[in-house]
Amino acid sequence: MREIPGAWRRTADGAGLRAADGTIGSTIFAEMTGLAASTGAINLGQGFPDEDGPAVVLDAAREAIARGVNQYAPGRGFADLLTAIAEHQERFYGLRLDPERDIIVTAGATEALAATLLALLDGPDNEVVVFEPYYDAYAAAVALAGARLVTVPLRWPDFQPDLDELAAAVTDRTRVILVNDPHNPTGAVFAPAVREQIVRLAERHDAVIVTDEVYEHLVFDGAHVPIATLPGAWERTVSISSAGKTFSVTGWKIGWLSGPAPLVSAILTVKQYLTYANGSPFQPAIATGLRLPREFFADLAATLRDKRDTLGRGLRAAGFAVSDPRGSYFTVADASALGATDAADFCRTLPERAGVVGIPLTAFASAEHRDQFATLVRFAACKRVDVLDEASRRLALLGA
Ligand code: PMP
Ligand code: GLN
């Protein structure tokens, strides 16, 4: 068995990925959603909305099925969706993409990440610098690619990286700097100086920036700034996004990536053997969504900002300390005032004690760094306001 450093290891016995403790772990999201289902607790764990997205988008998918859009899409995605993605990048960010060469539609952001990392990484001499805590699929994909994860800590309460620690992590061994902005699980939006430092270091060490921006339309103050728009960034950046969060269709798994054509072609080489193509009738529906007026996108962010505020008030009233997120679905709360010393234990008993499910931040950290997040819990705000109110009422009983 060959061991790969990181939170996961790859095994040679055909069993695929195993958790670092040797068990075949289910993801924390599956575990916690299962716990919510078996206990009837309110699921503020897995990040999915409990309301449908825009009706025109849902109708467009139904209409596409009725129209017979039911066979394989082209490997890169349908031309109209590629065009809609290019239009979206220009309308919101002033980025001008060639739809035929600079974009690929993928099976969610997850496939975009996996294909990108598998295409760019080649064995244990390649390092991927990632901000910790990190979305769990990152460590798994880096392990699949046989590369090494190098972490830069994000610390409570603002979760911005230290620029010197970031500089120390990036070396000539760094093949990829993996960014997630807005950030899951912390809700951080990186400061301009952080983005600039990432680009500077990528240029200095000839690294590729892979940026996961699935929460691009869930920024609460001001506009989202894609790293690809910074001077010097475009030619070395792969930008990833997904329809799941923007149109409340996480189950459709339509994502995309964009970047300079040579990088995109390398990734397509891998992607064509992962899924080849997916979600034919959903692709025209997402093209419809991406062309919705600006107000739709502004309302989405404003609605989630209100939900963030509702959740934050409830958590504070229950005795948690709260890090106010600047974006994403998520709020991180410190449960130490409620007696927590181990977030995983706290979250496993929370459904029984309070009828609410959250995700321990330790699930987003490598084994050697888990103690830094030992009392922190991630709660999802992407739920109906009445659900958030009920969760708040239940959590308030914790300290009673
Ligand atoms: N990246 C991040 C940061 C996420 O939070 C998620 C899912 N919530 C994904 C990627 C996966 O996106 P998708 O469902 O489109 O594969
Ligand atoms: N991205 C979602 C979250 O962070 C979960 C997706 C999944 O279950 N893999 O909650």
Side-chain angles (χ1 to χ4, degrees):
M1 185 187 300
R2 185 151 79 99
E3 288 216 22
I4 309 291
W8 298 82
R9 68 177 182 232
R10 194 158 70 154
T11 65
D13 61 5
L17 292 175
R18 286 172 190 261
D21 64 2
T23 59
I24 301 179
S26 59
T27 77
I28 190 71
F29 309 113
E31 180 188 346
M32 289 300 168
T33 290
L35 198 56
S38 62
T39 60
I42 295 178
N43 189 357
L44 303 186
Q46 196 175 28
F48 62 89
D50 58 358
E51 287 178 291
D52 274 338
V56 283
V57 172
L58 305 181
D59 287 344
R62 280 188 277 266
E63 196 266 324
I65 291 174
R67 205 161 26 95
V69 188
N70 298 312
Q71 310 310 327
Y72 295 125
R76 279 182 189 266
F78 282 118
D80 188 54
L81 176 55
L82 296 170
T83 302
I85 294 166
E87 287 167 8
H88 170 277
Q89 295 304 94
E90 180 155 20
R91 172 161 66 128
F92 285 96
Y93 311 126
L95 286 167
R96 303 194 64 164
L97 308 187
D98 177 345
E100 288 176 11
R101 288 158 43 88
D102 300 344
I103 306 171
I104 310 175
V105 176
T106 56
T110 308
E111 190 199 25
L113 279 157
T116 301
L117 294 172
L118 289 168
L120 296 178
L121 300 172
D122 184 23
D125 295 337
N126 286 182
E127 293 183 352
V128 178
V129 170
V130 69
F131 299 91
E132 188 175 30
Y134 47 75
Y135 184 55
D136 67 341
Y138 298 176
V142 170
L144 282 170
R148 249 173 56 78
L149 208 60
V150 174
T151 58
V152 176
L154 302 179
R155 295 189 181 88
W156 169 273
D158 69 345
F159 297 111
Q160 294 291 323
D162 177 88
L163 296 186
D164 294 332
E165 283 178 339
L166 175 53
V170 182
T171 69
D172 288 345
R173 286 187 304 280
T174 307
R175 183 83 178 109
V176 168
I177 304 177
L178 181 47
V179 181
N180 174 212
D181 182 23
H183 186 257
N184 177 7
T186 67
V189 168
F190 280 172
V194 173
R195 285 190 211 108
E196 286 157 19
Q197 173 84 324
I198 291 167
V199 177
R200 218 175 7 251
L201 292 168
E203 283 182 312
R204 188 178 305 156
H205 297 285
D206 197 19
V208 176
I209 300 166
V210 176
T211 174
D212 172 350
E213 303 186 3
V214 300
Y215 300 102
E216 62 185 316
H217 288 294
L218 296 173
V219 172
F220 305 136
D221 315 293
H224 172 62
V225 180
I227 223 164
T229 59
L230 270 67
W234 164 258
E235 55 269 30
R236 57 177 67 253
T237 300
V238 177
S239 302
I240 292 173
S241 193
S242 166
K245 324 292 150 153
T246 303
F247 303 111
S248 303
V249 289
T250 59
W252 287 10
K253 298 297 281 191
I254 300 293
W256 51 89
L257 62 88
S258 58
L263 275 176
V264 169
S265 313
I267 298 164
L268 184 62
T269 310
V270 174
K271 184 261 184 301
Q272 67 189 344
Y273 295 117
L274 292 179
T275 56
Y276 179 63
N278 76 297
S280 292
F282 300 126
Q283 293 196 23
I286 298 307
T288 300
L290 288 169
R291 292 182 172 123
L292 285 172
R294 266 184 185 271
E295 297 76 68
F296 162 76
F297 298 91
D299 286 353
L300 181 77
T303 304
L304 201 72
R305 182 169 50 227
D306 289 348
K307 291 182 176 190
R308 167 201 68 176
D309 293 343
T310 302
L311 176 63
R313 271 193 304 276
L315 290 169
R316 283 193 175 91
F320 291 88
V322 174
S323 163
D324 274 323
R326 301 291 175 89
S328 88
Y329 278 166
F330 307 111
T331 295
V332 174
D334 186 346
S336 52
L338 292 163
T341 51
D342 178 318
D345 286 349
F346 181 82
C347 287
R348 285 198 178 97
T349 56
L350 198 59
E352 217 170 279
R353 290 173 64 202
V356 174
V357 163
I359 306 268
L361 234 66
T362 45
F364 302 89
S366 53
E368 46 307 12
H369 297 146
R370 280 192 192 136
D371 53 340
Q372 294 172 16
F373 308 103
T375 59
L376 303 181
V377 180
R378 188 196 81 171
F379 292 98
C382 50
K383 307 292 171 180
R384 294 195 316 269
V385 173
D386 61 299
V387 171
L388 296 174
D389 283 340
E390 173 60 18
S392 301
R393 202 188 55 73
R394 293 183 184 188
L395 288 168
L397 303 175
L398 268 181

